[in-house]
């Protein structure tokens, strides 16, 4: 579905962006074992609260965060305003468990939106519906209807604060709806309120599942994700295309989102491949960082973002605003993205024979360019193959070289090539096999 034709103009920045920064930051960073330590290690709630209230980061520098994101080629960001532990990074009036009323005496959300807007990035706010401190959250509406109603009113009031007091917010990113339904959260009311406060906002799909509808639409109610509410899908730790706007959220480390000490880091080429795969399937990548307790970005993250940013400065046209590009089979070389009449071949596996053989493109190619060097490269095109030559034996970049094929029409596959291996109508390949003959014996004389 060509997104630029079906989307309201004020949402077109999202597919144009393709790449954003997810920031998980809160008092849990003091422990160095992720954002869920309160629950996962069954900590004493009062002790956790005491330590959270004493949290006092000394190196919070959102302008630096924004520079790192911008240099990496990211176009938007999403910051956790309140995670499941209940601590608020903004000046909430409905609780004192905030970074303004406790030790820091700072509104971290205000600093973030100002700095990222100043750097030209769009701003998103993550908000967890869950608050692990509150018994009524765990009991739910059936067991504690009054406690639930009070807790839900707290949640709605906080969302109203976030979408009223910090200017134009581009994305609201909910989480923590489990195990209640959209009806339990009164999410439809929440959506109506948000649209009235922020008419152009994008709302994600984690507003609680609608037990009846979502299962039929292939959404597992227990995930708390809705097929009906929200504007974009949020496949997590996976890259799975949806028939609407969608964004894969991924960690840069092993599994956790908040800061962890002694972490194992995913290499830059794997992180870039996530971005290329997301864009190639027609979606966005929201790539996460967990700043440390002082507010510093881990050096390992900054190093990887610098590598990806250098690549994006040369090859960004193969990512920004592209549509699902899986035109024909290319997995033995890498991935592909598509924009207008251009097909981008993003090469992971650069062999040294100086040529690439693309099978299955039906559209005539007018020009082939090795984007990485800017050099036009020679090619020949037959009915089933485009053979691109004149390529350097050594890959011209440590990450992925990109070849741009300018076609005389939007690139489309040969009939046999529109589906991948183990997909589509197997009989599309019969003629191809039949050219050799029918026998299990070799055709050789
Ligand atoms: C999961 C985790 C949560 C994290 C979120 C990011 O829901 O529980 O900690 O913020 O993923 O998508």
């Amino acid at each position: 579905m060509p997104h630029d034709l079906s989307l309201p103009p004020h949402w077109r920045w999202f597919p144009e962006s393709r790449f954003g920064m997810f920031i998980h930051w809160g008092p849990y960073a003091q422990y160095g074992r992720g954002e869920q330590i309160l629950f996962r290690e069954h900590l004493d709630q009062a002790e956790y609260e005491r330590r959270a209230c004493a949290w006092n980061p000394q190196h919070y520098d959102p302008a630096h965060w924004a520079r790192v994101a911008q240099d990496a080629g990211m176009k938007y960001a999403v910051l956790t305003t309140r995670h499941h532990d209940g601590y608020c990074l903004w000046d909430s009036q409905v609780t004192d468990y905030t970074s303004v009323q406790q030790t820091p005496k700072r509104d971290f959300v205000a600093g973030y939106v100002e700095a990222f807007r100043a750097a030209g990035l769009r701003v998103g706010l993550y908000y967890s519906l869950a608050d692990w401190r509150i018994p009524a959250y765990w009991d739910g509406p059936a067991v504690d209807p009054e406690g639930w109603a009070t807790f839900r009113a707290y949640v709605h009031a906080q969302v109203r604060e976030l979408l009223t007091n910090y200017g134009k917010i581009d994305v609201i990113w909910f989480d923590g709806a489990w195990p209640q339904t959209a009806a339990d959260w009164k999410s439809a009311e929440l959506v109506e309120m948000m649209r009235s406060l922020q008419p152009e906002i994008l709302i994600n799909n984690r507003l609680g599942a609608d037990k009846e509808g979502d299962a039929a639409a292939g959404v597992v109610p227990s995930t708390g994700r809705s097929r009906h509410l929200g504007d974009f899908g949020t496949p997590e730790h996976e890259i799975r295309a949806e028939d609407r706007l969608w964004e894969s959220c991924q960690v840069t480390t092993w599994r956790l989102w908040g800061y962890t000490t002694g972490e194992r880091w995913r290499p830059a080429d794997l992180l870039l491949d996530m971005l290329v795969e997301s864009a190639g399937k027609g979606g966005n990548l929201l790539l996460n960082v967990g700043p440390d307790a002082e507010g510093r970005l881990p050096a390992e993250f900054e190093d990887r973002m610098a590598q990806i940013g250098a690549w994006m400065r040369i090859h960004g046209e193969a990512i920004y605003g592209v549509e699902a590009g899986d035109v024909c089979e290319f997995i033995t070389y890498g991935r592909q993205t598509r924009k207008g009449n251009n097909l981008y071949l993003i090469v992971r596996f650069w062999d040294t024979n100086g040529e690439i053989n693309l099978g299955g493109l039906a559209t005539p190619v007018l020009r082939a360019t090795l984007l990485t060097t800017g050099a036009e490269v020679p090619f020949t095109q037959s009915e089933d193959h485009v053979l691109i030559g004149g390529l350097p034996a050594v890959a011209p970049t440590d990450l992925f070289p990109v070849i741009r094929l300018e076609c005389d029409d939007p690139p489309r596959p040969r009939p046999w090539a529109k589906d991948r291996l183990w997909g589509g109508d197997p009989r599309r390949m019969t003629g191809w096999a039949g050219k050799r003959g029918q026998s299990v014996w070799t055709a050789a004389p």
Side-chain angles (χ1 to χ4, degrees):
M1 173 176 69
H3 54 73
D4 54 351
L5 299 180
S6 62
L7 275 186
H10 56 266
W11 282 357
R12 287 179 191 171
W13 68 267
F14 189 76
E16 285 300 325
S17 298
R18 289 291 177 236
F19 192 21
M21 178 187 269
F22 209 175
I23 308 165
H24 276 72
W25 194 48
Y28 41 76
Q30 299 176 101
Y31 296 82
R33 292 196 296 281
E35 75 289 350
Q36 302 173 358
I37 185 173
L38 171 61
F39 179 88
R40 299 273 185 190
E41 297 187 15
H42 203 63
L43 300 182
D44 174 80
Q45 289 267 9
E47 175 51 33
Y48 183 93
E49 185 173 279
R50 272 192 293 279
R51 192 164 176 190
C53 289
W55 178 50
N56 190 20
Q58 296 302 303
H59 296 282
Y60 171 60
D61 183 355
H64 177 67
W65 294 0
R67 274 193 305 275
V68 171
Q70 187 186 44
D71 289 351
M74 293 164 161
K75 299 296 185 184
Y76 67 106
V78 177
L79 169 70
T80 54
T81 62
R82 176 169 78 69
H83 207 264
H84 314 327
D85 65 347
Y87 187 92
C88 306
L89 301 189
W90 81 95
D91 188 16
S92 178
Q93 301 307 306
V94 293
T95 179
D96 64 347
Y97 198 37
T98 80
S99 58
V100 173
Q101 297 188 51
Q102 296 307 323
T103 306
K105 305 292 182 231
R106 290 187 70 176
D107 187 323
F108 293 130
V109 168
Y112 154 75
V113 295
E114 286 156 18
F116 276 72
R117 281 191 197 118
L121 280 82
R122 300 260 181 169
V123 294
L125 302 178
Y126 165 112
Y127 179 80
S128 176
L129 297 168
D131 187 330
W132 287 341
R133 301 172 301 157
I134 311 302
Y137 162 72
W138 297 106
D139 273 346
V143 171
D144 179 5
E146 284 185 22
W148 176 260
T150 302
F151 174 63
R152 182 178 57 212
Y154 170 76
V155 164
H156 281 230
Q158 290 203 319
V159 173
R160 180 178 292 277
E161 288 178 330
L162 287 168
L163 299 190
T164 302
N165 302 334
Y166 295 95
K168 186 174 187 298
I169 303 298
D170 298 291
V171 179
I172 183 85
W173 213 101
F174 287 100
D175 195 21
W178 175 87
Q180 311 309 341
T181 66
D184 296 328
W185 289 108
K186 288 195 173 180
S187 295
E189 277 182 38
L190 200 57
V191 168
E192 189 177 344
M193 178 256 280
M194 293 188 286
R195 298 246 190 262
S196 68
L197 292 170
Q198 299 275 350
E200 299 191 351
I201 199 166
L202 274 166
I203 303 169
N204 82 340
N205 67 333
R206 298 192 183 185
L207 284 153
D210 171 323
K211 286 192 188 301
E212 297 73 44
D214 282 352
V219 176
V220 178
S222 65
T223 63
R225 297 177 200 172
S226 166
R227 182 68 197 152
H228 310 292
L229 287 174
D231 309 311
F232 65 94
T234 55
E236 178 179 318
H237 296 311
E238 61 176 341
I239 298 169
R240 178 177 34 79
E242 297 190 19
D243 60 356
R244 58 176 170 176
L245 291 176
W246 59 276
E247 167 197 79
S248 171
C249 51
Q250 299 269 5
V251 292
T252 43
T253 55
W254 173 63
R255 185 230 164 278
L256 296 173
W257 305 82
Y259 178 69
T260 46
T261 53
E263 185 49 285
R264 297 175 185 279
W265 288 83
R266 295 178 176 188
D269 59 357
L270 179 57
L271 301 176
L272 179 59
D273 191 53
M274 288 194 234
L275 174 59
V276 172
E277 184 179 358
S278 298
K281 290 180 176 176
N284 288 18
L285 173 69
L286 190 65
L287 189 58
N288 182 72
V289 61
D292 70 15
E294 294 301 327
R296 293 172 296 226
L297 299 181
E300 297 87 343
F301 176 80
E302 295 199 17
D303 170 64
R304 285 151 177 78
M305 291 310 104
Q307 293 178 62
I308 291 173
W311 186 90
M312 289 291 279
R313 279 187 285 279
I314 297 171
H315 305 96
E317 70 173 85
I319 300 294
Y320 298 127
V322 297
E323 302 177 61
D326 200 19
V327 174
C328 42
E329 186 60 63
F330 194 63
I331 200 66
T332 53
Y333 288 102
R335 302 188 191 278
Q336 51 194 295
T337 60
R338 175 173 57 89
K339 191 189 305 181
N341 290 355
N342 291 349
L343 181 64
Y344 296 95
L345 307 181
I346 301 172
V347 185
R348 277 174 58 95
F349 316 110
W350 189 267
D351 58 26
T352 57
N353 65 10
E355 60 184 29
I356 282 180
N357 190 19
L358 174 70
L361 181 64
T363 316
V365 175
L366 304 175
R367 181 182 300 109
T369 305
L370 177 56
L371 269 187
T372 314
T373 62
E376 192 169 337
V377 290
F379 68 93
T380 57
Q381 186 167 14
S382 64
E383 186 178 44
D384 283 335
H385 290 90
V386 179
L387 183 61
I388 303 159
L391 299 172
V394 177
T397 169
D398 291 341
L399 289 171
F400 308 150
V402 177
I403 294 167
R404 177 182 63 212
L405 298 183
E406 295 170 69
C407 301
D408 75 353
D409 215 6
R412 64 189 180 283
R414 296 270 294 127
W416 59 266
K418 71 179 180 58
D419 290 297
R420 295 294 155 269
L421 182 57
W422 316 133
D425 176 1
R427 299 199 62 230
R428 72 183 189 277
M429 289 301 176
T430 307
W432 168 70
K435 284 180 184 170
R436 186 199 63 87
Q438 299 295 326
S439 168
V440 294
W441 298 91
T442 62

